[in-house]
Amino acid sequence: MLPTPAQTIGPFHGHALPFPGGPEPAPPGHPDTLTVHGTVLDGAGAPVPDALLELWQPAPDGSRTGAPGSLRRDPATGGFAGRDGLTFTGFGRAATDADGRWAFRTLPPGGVPYLSLCVFARGLLHHLFTRVYLPGPGLADDPLLTGLDPERRATLLATETAGGAGPGGRTYRFDIRLQGPKETVFLDFR
């Protein structure tokens, strides 16, 4: 008997779940666009070429409604209803490349100093949740971040890099380590 998707762990993420514009919740050309990028690494420090990341965040004004229908096909245009190139969606999905790299073009989150990420990868029975804390105000007031010892806290902090790739010119690096000595802090929601 051949294994079916229900009997194996994958990787199946990169074939059906990525969609055009998925890594770009920010409207093209928006002046406040920032880029967050990194690499997903396994326990041995090797890149994971078949992971999938989902980004969830509030809009710059702090609202959390997003754009309705971000993933629903528009029958008239063949595009995605919430991906009109003008509306901020608050949701993005990016697959890693052959070197485990990923990137999102988004807007600064309002009301919180972080972006929420969900990681799907081979070998994981359940997806993992983490946060990407961006440099700036609010970090000292975040109870999750301040409740961690400094070494673990560092795994949640993005670092600003030179050569911004968007109109806003801000670029941040955030590597995700699935296991090992510098494993990223993952959150448990029950």
Side-chain angles (χ1 to χ4, degrees), residues 4-184:
T4 66
Q7 295 171 312
T8 64
I9 295 177
F12 302 106
H13 308 111
H15 300 289
L17 295 176
F19 60 95
E24 300 175 355
H30 193 287
D32 295 330
T33 299
L34 57 90
T35 300
V36 180
H37 68 97
T39 304
V40 176
L41 303 162
D42 66 15
V48 178
D50 50 9
L52 184 81
L53 284 79
E54 288 186 350
L55 173 133
W56 300 84
Q57 72 169 94
D61 66 2
S63 65
R64 296 176 187 263
T65 55
S70 290
L71 298 177
R72 192 173 56 245
R73 283 267 185 202
D74 181 338
T77 67
F80 292 89
R83 299 287 173 160
D84 59 8
L86 304 172
T87 309
F88 178 72
T89 65
F91 172 77
R93 186 179 285 156
T96 56
D97 67 12
D99 295 317
R101 294 181 303 228
W102 58 272
F104 287 104
R105 277 187 51 260
T106 190
L107 298 177
V112 295
Y114 61 83
L115 308 170
S116 297
L117 283 184
C118 183
V119 181
F120 301 84
R122 61 182 149 90
L124 297 177
L125 295 176
H126 300 284
H127 45 277
L128 302 172
F129 296 98
T130 192
R131 290 179 177 175
V132 180
Y133 283 88
L134 302 172
L139 295 182
D141 300 327
D142 187 87
L144 173 70
L145 200 58
T146 57
L148 296 169
D149 68 72
E151 187 175 316
R152 297 295 290 144
R153 184 180 312 133
T155 71
L156 295 178
L157 300 174
T159 55
E160 192 162 5
T161 59
R170 291 168 297 165
T171 302
Y172 303 94
R173 183 174 182 108
F174 183 78
D175 291 332
I176 300 167
R177 290 172 172 77
L178 300 177
Q179 294 179 321
K182 294 184 179 180
E183 176 181 317
T184 301

